[in-house]
Amino acid sequence: MGRIMDTAFRKLIVIGYGKVTGEVLRYVRERQEEYGYGLDFIEHEVHPLSMTEKICEEKGIPFHRITDKKELAAFFDGLEERTLVISASNNFLFPASVVGKANITIINFHNALLPAYPGRNAPTWAIYMGEKESGITWHYVTAGVDEGNIIIRKRCAIGEDTKAYELAGSLMDLAGEAFRECFADVMAECVEAKEQEFVPERRMYRSYEAPADGFFRLTDRAEDIYRLLRSLDYGKNDIFPPARTIIEGREVKVLRYRKVTPQKRKKEDGVIYLPLPADSFLKIKYSALDNER
């Protein structure tokens, strides 16, 4: 079957890692024959459990592992075809020399409702700040981080018990759904993109930042402590170190936590219970920090 769909893009490059990247990669491979574009994948950050290389092998997609930032920038600088770069769960910051190339258009997935929470670990900050909803944004990439015009946004609720890994999972699902919805318009270059409206106090969230530096006091409201713990909780992915506090004059780290009913309370070593609203308690299991800390 020959080309059916019209597009100026002669090449698509997907860069990133994780679930969203895999979904995007599969989808653009499915649509490749319709549009007739060339397709490549770049792995910049190596993840041991990443499935993208396997997807490339199965689907016959050229795979490039480029971990050096200068080498990667040179790769993009050398592109001469009209190219759409799809940045999905990707932490490489495209230099101005690449963003400014007339033959390259870059779109990026961000796991927050821009212009809110630009930068890293947006699910964490949305939970910590007590937001009732979050969402995702696909946007065009400019020289400013997470500042480009908005292509599409989708929203989801944040529950009173939502943990960071749960919110991140929901946002990944939304990202794949939104990408499929906007793909045709992006390819046809007919997106009704919206400018972001920035507020003076807008700040960038850095990868090394943790809410409250991951520390709480037992005199803090239990609801606030619970919100902090949920905001740092990425399950088995060690995005942040364990939360810390002071108990009986010594600094300790949180091993586990959960909300329990009064009937579940029982005396245990290394466990404290803090009263929450609605007749429940926050159970925290802790241990002393390593001596070398």
Side-chain angles (χ1 to χ4, degrees), residues 196-257:
Q196 296 191 48
E197 298 180 1
F198 303 122
V199 294
E201 62 270 21
R202 184 178 190 257
R203 57 161 290 195
M204 188 67 55
Y205 293 87
R206 309 294 180 180
S207 60
Y208 55 80
E209 289 183 280
D213 195 28
F215 183 85
F216 64 91
R217 295 176 175 81
L218 296 184
T219 53
D220 295 339
R221 294 195 317 157
E223 304 97 296
D224 296 337
I225 296 171
Y226 185 41
R227 194 172 66 249
L228 171 66
L229 296 178
R230 290 187 291 112
S231 76
L232 299 174
D233 187 355
Y234 283 87
K236 295 181 180 179
N237 296 312
D238 296 328
I239 305 296
F240 295 104
R244 311 175 325 279
T245 190
I246 302 293
I247 296 180
E248 296 179 350
R250 61 175 182 168
E251 192 169 12
V252 302
K253 61 183 178 182
V254 174
L255 301 176
R256 293 183 298 278
Y257 72 97

Side-chain angles (χ1 to χ4, degrees), residues 27-273:
Y27 185 75
V28 296
R29 178 65 183 87
E30 289 173 5
R31 305 297 301 274
Q32 187 175 8
E33 190 173 353
E34 290 179 66
Y35 285 93
Y37 48 71
L39 175 61
D40 287 59
F41 174 74
I42 295 175
E43 181 183 72
H44 174 57
E45 298 171 89
V46 181
H47 288 253
L49 300 179
S50 176
M51 295 295 292
T52 48
E53 186 170 11
K54 184 178 180 181
I55 294 171
C56 289
E57 290 175 357
E58 292 174 350
K59 303 294 184 180
I61 303 170
F63 176 91
H64 310 271
R65 180 172 285 123
I66 308 176
T67 57
D68 183 80
K69 293 180 180 179
K70 290 183 179 179
E71 184 182 347
L72 184 53
F75 176 92
F76 286 118
D77 273 327
L79 293 173
E80 297 181 354
E81 293 179 284
R82 187 77 170 84
T83 302
L84 173 67
V85 178
I86 304 166
S87 169
S89 299
N90 160 55
N91 295 319
F92 174 72
L93 296 180
F94 296 91
S97 61
V98 173
V99 175
K101 283 176 67 73
N103 65 308
I104 293 180
T105 297
I106 308 171
I107 66 173
N108 179 65
F109 152 61
H110 185 68
N111 54 359
L113 294 168
L114 290 175
Y117 302 109
R120 299 288 292 276
N121 303 318
T124 286
W125 294 100
I127 292 173
Y128 179 70
M129 298 300 288
E131 303 287 1
K132 301 301 182 184
E133 70 170 6
S134 184
I136 65 93
T137 307
W138 281 96
H139 65 97
Y140 288 105
V141 171
T142 61
V145 177
D146 294 332
E147 292 184 358
N149 288 354
I150 293 168
I151 298 169
I152 188 173
R153 298 195 302 179
K154 280 188 173 289
R155 300 172 182 271
C156 70
I158 300 177
E160 63 180 17
D161 299 314
T162 300
K163 300 172 178 62
Y165 73 85
E166 294 170 332
L167 178 56
S170 297
L171 297 179
M172 289 178 196
D173 291 338
L174 284 181
E177 180 182 318
F179 179 79
R180 293 188 291 272
E181 289 183 17
C182 72
F183 181 72
D185 285 349
V186 170
M187 294 297 289
E189 298 184 288
C190 64
V191 174
E192 296 182 8
K194 298 178 182 178
E195 289 188 12
Q196 296 191 48
E197 298 180 1
F198 303 122
V199 294
E201 62 270 21
R202 184 178 190 257
R203 57 161 290 195
M204 188 67 55
Y205 293 87
R206 309 294 180 180
S207 60
Y208 55 80
E209 289 183 280
D213 195 28
F215 183 85
F216 64 91
R217 295 176 175 81
L218 296 184
T219 53
D220 295 339
R221 294 195 317 157
E223 304 97 296
D224 296 337
I225 296 171
Y226 185 41
R227 194 172 66 249
L228 171 66
L229 296 178
R230 290 187 291 112
S231 76
L232 299 174
D233 187 355
Y234 283 87
K236 295 181 180 179
N237 296 312
D238 296 328
I239 305 296
F240 295 104
R244 311 175 325 279
T245 190
I246 302 293
I247 296 180
E248 296 179 350
R250 61 175 182 168
E251 192 169 12
V252 302
K253 61 183 178 182
V254 174
L255 301 176
R256 293 183 298 278
Y257 72 97
R258 63 190 177 102
K259 183 191 285 189
V260 298
T261 61
Q263 295 76 19
K264 295 287 186 179
R265 290 184 65 187
K266 59 181 180 180
K267 190 170 183 179
E268 303 174 64
D269 290 338
V271 172
I272 58 171
Y273 292 87

